[in-house]
Amino acid sequence: MSTLRFQALKETLNRKPLKITEPARRSEIFSSNVFNETVMRQFLTKEAFENVTEAMRTGKKIDRNVADHISTGMKEWAISKGVTHYTHWFQPLTGTTAEKHDSFFEPLSEGLAIEKFGGSQLVQQEPDASSFPSGGIRNTFEARGYTAWDPTSPAFIWGTTLCIPTIFVSYTGEALDNKTPLLRALQAVDNAATNVVKYFDKNVKKVNATLGWEQEYFLIDSALVASRPDITLTGRTLLGHSPAKGQQLDDHYFGSIPSRAISFMMDLEIECMKLGIPVKTRHNEVAPNQFELAPIFEEANLAVDHNSLIMDVMKKVGERHNLSVLMHEKPFAGINGSGKHNNWSLATDTGTNLLSPGSTPMKNLQFLTFFINTIKAVYDNEELLRACIASASNDHRLGANEAPPAIISVFIGSQLTKVLDELEKVTDGKLSPQEKTDLKLNVVGKIPEILRDNTDRNRTSSFAFTGNKFEFRAVGSLANCANAMTVLNSIVAKQLKDFKVEVDKLIKDKKMKKDDAIFNVLREYIKKSKKIRFEGDGYGEAWEKEAKKRGLSNNRTTPQALKAQVSKKTISLYKELEVMNKTEVEARHEIELEEYAMRIQIEGRILGDIARNHVIPTAIRYQNILIKNVTGLKAIYGDEYTRHAKEQLEIIESISAHIASINSNVNAMIEARKVANKIEDVEKKAFAYCDDIKPYFEEIRYHCDKLELLVDDELWPLTKYRELLFTR
């Protein structure tokens, strides 16, 4: 009997859900561990409070002298909550978060000590940057990097540590993190959108990008995960035969949440409430043991921080429940993978959602302006959007089991398509009074009613309009939202800048009225971006052929997709908006290519190890049992033994054939890795791992999975899919 597998199953079956005591009202604990405005009023001087709140609203720098007052108040609040340490909490280019804890404790002379936390320690620190990926921005021996406080994202307490959200930059000023380019992109879209929205409302002074993410994940008992070296080291199963029952009955989706899972969710949500993360929704997802949680939308920078934080918190809460949280985009073959849908919109400081129609034709023209400009931005930059969600793990998900394909398309629904078709017919030049009246009453004026009834959604579209926001569905569950949000806000900012130039030119040169100029430019955008709009099924060869005919890219793999990151167009875009310079763009490209090659390398090593050290020895052991059985039959029946041992002999031959195929493919994969490892060019190495090494995975897996069906269940060492997915 396979001891580890069955011990893990026994341990899992004996688990009981933890009893979680929920507060009577969640509102009573919401943000209780956050240094928010309510807390600041209590612990800061009036001058310090006004400085912080102004920095949060406008991005204005905080005076170093005032920073001392802020740090003192922050320390006193934290200590009153049982905190002993502080850390600058940042998001390096590893895709995860980073922190270095320092104690408030500081010794004085004569055996005395105090708790100290000064303004300089709050505003800036100097962590060792040598082991973080930099893409060649600095040499390994140049370890200096700086973390700088981001006051727009409030400090929070986790455990006994005060966490201060920060940016992370190199000694020479280049961004070494995901947050810095995001903040720059948000500033760019704020400036561009504010200038455009003044066509409709002169009172608007600021536009915020908003984000509501949906986090999908799997919950698997930690003992079962420990019995699978592939899940432990890569986050996914590299082999395993599909169970007889998977998700085909659709009986898990929105079903009753299993008791251990609901206990985990309750515990998680309590922690989220304390951290000010406004989680609202929880439910079963489509695949067995797959779930989702989603918060209310927030300002994009804060939402990104909250998602990065919750990914950490989920793992720590999972440990208390003996559950492993799998966020890999495709941990199990043949069933739904996990995404992180990014619901994006733009909101003014006057409280208007710019992607939501209003009660008047003017408000609806405002909606159409931002709606059509977003579609145009996606059309012009579809390859860059594909690049921003590219990863070794997300490649497994895109185009499989309801996930959107690698082709970027925009879904807006049949009713809004009719509206754009009508707008496409707008006369070139000044509109006649009759045409303007007809447009406002019969086309633009009726948009709210259209959206009220237009609730259909296309789950295969990567970028779908869902009533008052766009849902970027192709983002992977493991991803940091910052990457997608940096790209999306940058391309929309660029598009809105260009739009304003064109409209102003028509007003000035052609003496058009504002509405006429806006309609004329929008008409051209509708025509130019029509190819990106797609209402049909995004699966299969039919859409791929259609997309090719339309001139849309189909970059199936990460190395192929990432080329768009360093195109002249992309570098020019980021330079114009001051989001990233050429060095920062190229560094990120190199880092992502290196990470891709390393992830495939790790998976290849683990697969070879499991195949040779787990699968083949088990198959041989079972084969020996069969050989012993055949030998016994021969001793009894003599030359007629083949009549009685026919099936056993066939299985023995099948096992030998599968073992031979596994061994030869593992050998070939190792040789291909040796060749790839000698390649110095990071892009060529990534392509080598993608094209020359990764194809062996499916071949090796196929023969291992066939052996799983042949070998005695009690001998098989690896926890099976049916046990991973249905043991709760």
Side-chain angles (χ1 to χ4, degrees):
M1 181 180 285
S2 174
T3 307
L4 183 58
R5 173 185 159 209
F6 287 101
Q7 279 184 351
L9 280 167
K10 184 179 179 181
E11 198 173 328
T12 302
L13 292 169
N14 287 330
R15 306 269 201 216
K16 302 294 181 188
L18 291 184
K19 188 174 181 180
I20 305 299
T21 303
E22 287 200 276
R25 294 174 183 268
R26 291 192 171 189
S27 57
E28 292 174 355
I29 62 168
F30 185 69
S31 289
S32 59
N33 284 347
V34 179
F35 196 66
N36 55 24
E37 286 196 22
T38 303
V39 175
M40 285 192 279
R41 287 181 187 277
Q42 296 174 11
F43 285 87
L44 299 185
T45 62
K46 184 180 178 182
E47 182 189 7
F49 174 76
E50 289 174 352
N51 261 261
V52 175
T53 51
E54 188 177 0
M56 291 169 69
R57 284 195 302 269
T58 66
K60 182 182 176 182
K61 288 187 177 181
I62 291 173
D63 187 274
R64 281 296 183 105
N65 294 325
V66 178
D68 281 327
H69 294 291
I70 298 168
S71 63
T72 300
M74 198 180 284
K75 178 197 70 178
E76 292 305 314
W77 167 73
I79 290 173
S80 74
K81 305 277 287 182
V83 168
T84 58
H85 289 68
Y86 66 92
T87 182
H88 274 200
W89 183 81
F90 59 102
Q91 300 167 43
L93 299 174
T94 56
T96 58
T97 59
E99 53 197 67
K100 177 179 72 103
H101 297 195
D102 285 302
S103 172
F104 289 134
F105 170 82
E106 186 161 313
L108 301 174
S109 60
E110 299 178 5
L112 300 175
I114 59 170
E115 269 71 38
K116 185 178 179 182
F117 181 54
S120 59
Q121 293 163 309
L122 166 65
V123 172
Q124 183 176 302
Q125 281 198 313
E126 195 176 310
D128 185 344
S130 61
S131 294
F132 291 112
S134 69
I137 286 178
R138 30 142 289 278
N139 295 312
T140 303
F141 62 84
E142 295 170 331
R144 188 175 294 175
Y146 296 108
T147 50
W149 177 34
D150 170 21
T152 62
S153 184
F156 58 90
I157 293 169
W158 177 249
T160 58
T161 304
L162 171 67
C163 301
I164 302 154
T166 60
I167 63 170
F168 181 43
V169 296
S170 72
Y171 176 69
T172 47
E174 287 91 0
L176 293 174
D177 66 343
N178 288 301
K179 180 185 271 272
T180 304
L182 173 65
L183 290 172
R184 295 169 183 166
L186 293 175
Q187 183 65 52
V189 82
D190 172 17
N191 294 338
T194 300
N195 288 335
V196 170
V197 82
K198 285 184 183 295
Y199 285 139
F200 310 98
D201 186 352
K202 299 287 186 184
N203 297 316
V204 174
K205 295 178 182 176
K206 184 175 177 59
V207 173
N208 285 318
T210 63
L211 168 64
W213 42 262
E214 302 167 29
Q215 181 71 57
E216 294 176 342
Y217 61 97
F218 282 82
L219 282 180
I220 309 296
D221 188 275
S222 55
L224 299 182
V225 168
S227 72
R228 291 286 307 227
D230 48 355
I231 303 179
T232 302
L233 295 176
T234 71
R236 78 179 183 103
T237 54
L238 296 173
L239 48 82
H241 199 279
S242 298
K245 178 184 182 295
Q247 64 186 48
Q248 61 266 48
L249 295 178
D250 296 322
D251 54 346
H252 187 68
Y253 190 52
F254 277 27
S256 176
I257 301 173
S259 56
R260 287 183 66 199
I262 195 71
S263 178
F264 162 83
M265 290 175 178
M266 289 164 61
D267 199 1
L268 174 64
E269 288 171 4
I270 290 169
E271 296 294 351
C272 288
M273 289 296 108
K274 293 176 184 176
L275 292 165
I277 305 173
V279 290
K280 180 80 171 174
T281 303
R282 65 188 185 201
H283 62 82
N284 289 359
E285 256 301 332
V286 175
N289 274 348
Q290 186 187 32
F291 307 94
E292 180 184 294
L293 85 157
I296 299 167
F297 72 91
E298 302 175 283
E299 185 275 322
N301 178 44
L302 182 58
V304 168
D305 278 2
H306 278 167
N307 183 250
S308 295
L309 175 58
I310 205 171
M311 289 169 77
D312 287 340
V313 174
M314 287 171 78
K315 292 175 182 176
K316 290 169 182 174
V317 172
E319 289 173 5
R320 297 204 287 253
H321 295 256
N322 294 302
L323 291 168
S324 290
V325 181
L326 304 187
M327 288 186 225
H328 192 287
E329 283 82 357
K330 199 74 172 176
F332 303 101
I335 62 173
N336 269 32
S338 297
K340 190 187 326 249
H341 302 173
N342 279 209
N343 294 282
W344 172 89
S345 190
L346 295 169
T348 68
D349 58 349
T350 58
T352 300
N353 179 351
L354 296 175
L355 287 174
S356 182
S359 55
T360 66
M362 179 58 74
K363 287 182 179 177
N364 293 332
L365 181 55
Q366 175 181 277
F367 157 73
L368 284 170
T369 295
F370 287 91
F371 177 69
I372 293 166
N373 270 285
T374 301
I375 295 171
K376 175 71 161 44
V378 173
Y379 173 67
D380 287 343
N381 300 277
E382 46 98 7
E383 284 199 274
L384 182 56
L385 270 180
R386 167 66 181 97
C388 80
I389 49 95
S391 68
S393 51
N394 207 23
D395 280 359
H396 293 287
R397 167 180 166 259
L398 295 177
N401 300 94
E402 290 196 16
I407 303 165
I408 300 294
S409 66
V410 177
F411 170 82
I412 62 172
S414 57
Q415 297 298 326
L416 278 173
T417 296
K418 290 178 183 177
V419 170
L420 296 196
D421 289 344
E422 288 294 323
L423 290 174
E424 195 177 337
K425 301 171 187 173
V426 170
T427 303
D428 187 4
K430 295 179 181 179
L431 278 67
S432 67
Q434 176 61 38
E435 186 175 25
K436 190 176 288 189
T437 301
D438 185 61
L439 269 174
K440 288 186 174 179
L441 292 179
N442 298 322
V443 180
V444 178
K446 291 184 177 179
I447 288 173
E449 286 75 22
I450 288 170
L451 291 188
R452 201 168 292 130
D453 298 326
N454 184 27
T455 56
D456 57 330
R457 294 173 66 193
N458 187 333
R459 294 182 65 83
T460 64
S461 173
S462 51
F463 201 84
F465 184 70
T466 55
N468 60 1
K469 61 191 182 302
F470 278 100
E471 183 179 18
F472 191 11
R473 301 188 68 252
V475 182
S477 52
L478 262 179
N480 186 316
C481 298
N483 205 1
M485 286 296 101
T486 298
V487 170
L488 182 54
N489 285 292
S490 295
I491 64 175
V492 171
K494 166 65 174 167
Q495 179 56 50
L496 290 172
K497 280 184 68 178
D498 293 347
F499 171 76
K500 188 167 191 310
V501 169
E502 291 186 54
V503 170
D504 288 349
K505 189 175 181 182
L506 289 179
I507 293 171
K508 182 181 178 183
D509 296 350
K510 302 288 184 179
K511 308 300 180 188
M512 283 189 191
K513 289 186 177 180
K514 179 183 67 179
D515 286 6
D516 290 352
I518 289 171
F519 273 122
N520 271 262
V521 176
L522 291 181
R523 179 199 63 228
E524 293 307 307
Y525 286 176
I526 292 167
K527 290 178 182 177
K528 289 176 182 176
S529 63
K530 202 169 186 177
K531 292 176 181 178
I532 200 75
R533 294 182 356 232
F534 180 65
E535 306 299 308
D537 188 348
Y539 290 132
E541 292 182 14
W543 168 228
E544 290 186 10
K545 288 179 181 177
E546 174 62 23
K548 188 176 181 180
K549 208 161 47 171
R550 296 184 184 197
L552 302 178
S553 66
N554 184 12
N555 296 323
R556 294 171 180 270
T557 67
T558 291
Q560 192 178 359
L562 289 179
K563 284 178 176 288
Q565 272 189 334
V566 287
S567 68
K568 288 182 180 178
K569 180 180 175 182
T570 298
I571 291 170
S572 174
L573 166 77
Y574 285 139
K575 183 180 178 182
E576 178 185 337
L577 299 174
E578 298 183 343
V579 171
M580 282 188 278
N581 59 35
K582 189 170 184 283
T583 301
E584 290 169 323
V585 173
E586 290 176 342
R588 277 157 175 73
H589 181 243
E590 183 174 318
I591 288 166
E592 291 187 40
L593 286 169
E594 283 180 342
E595 181 184 347
Y596 178 86
M598 284 189 286
R599 287 195 181 277
I600 303 300
Q601 181 189 67
I602 290 167
E603 289 189 351
R605 287 174 172 172
I606 294 166
L607 181 57
D609 172 54
I610 294 173
R612 282 185 160 167
N613 293 314
H614 294 69
V615 175
I616 290 178
T618 303
I620 291 172
R621 194 179 311 144
Y622 182 57
Q623 191 179 48
N624 287 337
I625 292 171
L626 293 175
I627 290 170
K628 188 175 180 181
N629 175 262
V630 171
T631 303
L633 290 172
K634 187 175 182 180
I636 296 170
Y637 295 105
D639 293 342
E640 291 186 9
Y641 82 97
T642 53
R643 183 163 58 88
H644 301 282
K646 182 183 176 184
E647 286 74 18
Q648 292 93 317
L649 289 167
E650 287 178 358
I651 294 172
I652 289 168
E653 288 180 11
S654 293
I655 289 173
S656 292
H658 289 306
I659 288 173
S661 294
I662 291 168
N663 202 49
S664 62
N665 278 296
V666 169
N667 284 334
M669 178 179 67
I670 291 169
E671 291 306 311
R673 274 210 316 266
K674 289 178 181 177
V675 173
N677 290 339
K678 291 177 182 177
I679 300 172
E680 293 187 4
D681 183 276
V682 288
E683 186 175 62
K684 289 178 180 177
K685 180 181 278 192
F687 270 104
Y689 267 98
C690 179
D691 299 335
D692 302 336
I693 294 156
K694 193 179 171 187
Y696 286 109
F697 290 11
E698 283 307 309
E699 277 293 312
I700 295 166
R701 177 175 193 148
Y702 171 81
H703 294 287
C704 289
D705 290 355
K706 287 297 181 182
L707 285 175
E708 183 183 325
L709 292 180
L710 288 173
V711 171
D712 182 352
D713 182 64
E714 289 200 358
L715 293 178
W716 194 253
L718 301 166
T719 305
K720 297 188 175 184
Y721 264 39
R722 67 169 185 264
E723 296 154 352
L724 291 165
L725 294 171
F726 292 98
T727 308
R728 294 166 182 166

